[in-house]
Amino acid sequence: MKKVIELKGVTMQFGGVTALNDVNLHVNEGEILALIGPNGAGKTTVFNVITGVYKPTKGDIVFNEELSVVGKKRWQITEAGIARTFQNVRLFGEMTALENVITAGDVRSKSGFVGSLFGLPRSRREEKANREKAMELLKFLGIDHVAHKLGKNLPYGDQRRLEIARALGTQPKLLLLDEPAAGFNPSEKVALAETIKKIRDAGYTILLIEHDMSLIMGISDRVAVLDFGTKIADDSPQVVQNDARVIEAYLGVPADAS
Amino acid sequence: MDFSVLVDQFFALTIDGIALGFIYSLIALGYTMVYGVLRLINFANSEVFMLGTFATIITSKNIFGYADDTEPLTGMKLVYTLLACMLVSMLVCAITGVLVEIVAYRRLRKTGSNRLTTLISAIGVSIVISETVRILTSSAPANNPRLLDKIYLVSYAGTEFYIGSVRIPVSAFEVRLDTLLVIIFAILLLFAVDRFVKNTRLGKGIRAVSMSEQNSQLMGVNLNKVISSTFFIAGLMTGAAAFFYTTVYESTKFNVGFELGLAAFTAAVLGGIGNIRGAFFGGIALGILEIYAATVFGTQWKAVTAFVVLVLVLLFKPNGLFGESLQQARV
Amino acid sequence: MAINIRDKGAEIWERSPKPARVAIASLTMIFAICLPFFGGTFLNTPISSYEAVLVYPVGLFVLMALGLNIVVGKSGLLDLGYVAFFAIGAYTMAILGTTTSLNFWEIMPIGIGLAMISGVILGLPTLRLRGDYLAIVTLGFGEIVRIVALNTMAIGGPNGIANIPTPPKFLSLEYTLQNQKAYYWTVLALIFLVIWMIRRLSTRRPGRAWESIRQDEDVADLMGVRTLKYKIWAFAIGAAIGGAGGVVFAAKSMFVAPEMFTLNTSILILACVVFGGMGNIWGVITGAIILAYLPERIRFISDARLLIFGLTLVVMMNLRADGILPRKKREKSLTS
């Protein structure tokens, strides 16, 4: 089974603070791996080093077993096939839903500035194809009915789904979801879980940060746990749920023996 | 390019550079403190400086009644006249600074406008002030009466001697009273601000806000008070600089703010924007660099020096010598 | 304001069938072309020649405001040294016009090219900087260009360059000092070209890239947008437009000097963009026309012109940061 992304001995230090400490982590192709841990454990930092926002102090991050993403530019990493959503919704608020996704799809276009200016055939073809694909993605996420509404005017649930649609617009191999269920009520969370499974079934590999345990247990193939920048568990959901160290990290007291 | 003058006058020029540098440091404080709390380049600071120079002259001419050809003063009269001019300049700048914040920036801060908008508003204010003064003065320069005589405390003309056929120059060295006073008072003021920010409650509030606006409010800091105080103190420092400048250079004009403001801003960035100690070092460094560059390349290239330094610092060491980095992505 | 003028206009445009649109566009263009003939009406300017005013400041300010709009309005990059590109275009015309036998039409592409190269050279190191710092550095660039021109005797120093030749006759149009119509129509042609170009680019990948950079550059980066590349393109196109304007300016004024290219001009153009409506072509054009024309028409405010611009900036930013014709609020498309 191919490792779509692998963190090898990744350490991330900011001045005196060690956000990630010798983390070894990988996600297999077609898997849904959930990354959990108490607040401040370093989960979003993992996303940030993978996507090139930060350069790890030590260690390597390998994509698809062939490309080291450390030191690459952010757009290059996206072009390689990694996309993400954000903890706080960060849409292009003054663009429509459709435009958000089309902008993400531009990374796959080969036509350049001149082609766009003079309306060369390849540019026009790519525009049309991009637009159609974007519309499909909106349908896939169930938000095609708001395709022409501005991002900032969408209801919260639609915004969250648009973020996912936009990330998918870059045609990634690996999708990073940062707390996609934040602010959702239970029925919305169930719908989101179905959507994430649908995305995985369509061929994407997913690395997911979440706090809602039932959501995670329901859809994850594996769960990795971070605490103060160190990975303390990495196994199937059932095993991790009962791991004493994990329980201690969250609750702060040793689990009762009986 | 003429290095001979630089070598022959090295010490004298260095002292001039240090004095100029202290003036820059004080104005740089104006930029750096405001940037620290608001993350905003206070464009209007250069015009506040300009107003201070005019305030100094208005005090000595209109309030005390001295004229261009007045004999220099001595004794107590000299001391209290100079002090009065300095205090007036400082107050005028401080109050103007606070007013600028209220009129041009406060509303934008409240409505969460983006930085482009606030920056443009700052530029607008700067233009309004300088244009108003231009129209009122009809672009004419104003001269400061020489109340403090240009007395040389130490004056050494420099010499040269030869080892074989190699000429070894010994630089001229001179210390003027006014230059020395500028240096002494500037050090005192910078020290005072440093202590203030470190030890007083308001000073700590300023530091808290520059680290995190949200958190400091949660800790009970009165944001408006802190911000107004920052502008007030920044204005006091700029006003002192204006007084020193007017006393040493003896003349001013409506557009004096632009070049000096730019140099002071460069000094702030060089030392690390937002960093008060950095403003001190940045100012001195830039003052000396500018004097040297003017000597070697000619005075018409003085303004370019500041820009070139600025661009180089921003490209290669955006943190400045001591300060924060401006390039962190916010994700 | 309850009614968004621009959206109302856009609504009417969208609802009209194709023939109506062609009619509206043609009428507007014809009106613009005929403007020089209204000199005898209430539009007349008391002191300068009406036709000359149409060329500069009105026409050229509109052109430059459109150029700066791509940089500031669309991409969100604060450029305070825009006059530098105008100066480079003008000096190119001045130097080549007086020392070689090239004529205006041959010099124009050279002027544009040099301005573009300067834009790229300026942009490469500086466009990595965050907003405020970019502003200062571009301001510095503008000033450096002026100071270099001032101190370089080979290109005239403070006295500048005079006797720049006027463009040769085009078809049957003569470019003369007395009759400025030909200059005006040349500028107008450039304006039409630029408008076409901007509208083209806006609905395609470059326009989307610029918008995403303006709205949230960090996220744009992570969505695969080549932010540095498009920022440099924005600078380059803006510079090209400024340079083109400069070439026309030099040919019309027949004389250039460093004092004509000051920081004030950069700020004036910025005021046009801000006042009119950042990012919005029609707003920017309206803003430029108003701010360029009024001081000529109402002479007593001419001396206080810069003061009024400063006030405009402060007032507009505080009360109506979007300008008088704001950027679209309604869902108009960034795709064709």
Side-chain angles (χ1 to χ4, degrees), chain A residues 48 53 74 86 90, chain B residues 327-331:
Chain A
N48 283 336
V53 176
R74 290 171 214 156
F86 301 90
R90 286 181 73 162
Chain B
Q327 308 215 62
Q328 297 293 356
R330 280 145 261 184
V331 187

Side-chain angles (χ1 to χ4, degrees), chain C residues 200-273:
Chain C
R200 225 29 210 300
L201 293 172
S202 295
T203 55
R204 291 190 170 80
R205 185 177 186 182
R208 290 192 289 269
W210 290 332
E211 273 297 311
S212 66
I213 290 168
R214 185 184 59 83
Q215 293 184 30
D216 197 335
E217 187 177 339
D218 293 322
V219 170
D221 251 337
L222 291 164
M223 289 301 126
V225 175
R226 315 253 320 240
T227 54
L228 187 61
K229 172 178 165 181
Y230 282 99
K231 286 204 276 191
I232 293 181
W233 264 117
F235 251 45
I237 300 282
I241 296 173
V247 173
V248 176
F249 176 72
K252 163 198 139 55
S253 312
M254 299 192 290
F255 161 68
V256 294
E259 79 227 9
M260 293 167 157
F261 308 108
T262 61
L263 174 62
N264 289 346
T265 309
S266 292
I267 296 187
L268 257 40
I269 310 287
L270 179 66
C272 294
V273 174

Side-chain angles (χ1 to χ4, degrees), chain A residues 74-75 78 84 90 92-94 99 102 106 109 111 113 116-117 127 131 148-150 166, chain C residues 197 200 204-206 208 214-216 219 221-224 226 233 328-329 331-335:
Chain A
R74 290 171 214 156
W75 66 265
T78 309
R84 69 177 287 180
R90 286 181 73 162
F92 299 127
E94 291 174 35
E99 284 161 359
I102 294 177
D106 278 333
S109 293
S111 55
F113 193 87
S116 302
L117 179 58
E127 277 286 317
R131 193 191 168 98
H148 300 294
K149 281 189 106 96
L150 290 183
R166 182 178 65 176
Chain C
M197 188 172 67
R200 225 29 210 300
R204 291 190 170 80
R205 185 177 186 182
R208 290 192 289 269
R214 185 184 59 83
Q215 293 184 30
D216 197 335
V219 170
D221 251 337
L222 291 164
M223 289 301 126
R226 315 253 320 240
W233 264 117
K328 65 183 170 104
K329 292 286 204 293
E331 282 90 31
K332 182 191 167 290
S333 193
L334 272 181
T335 58

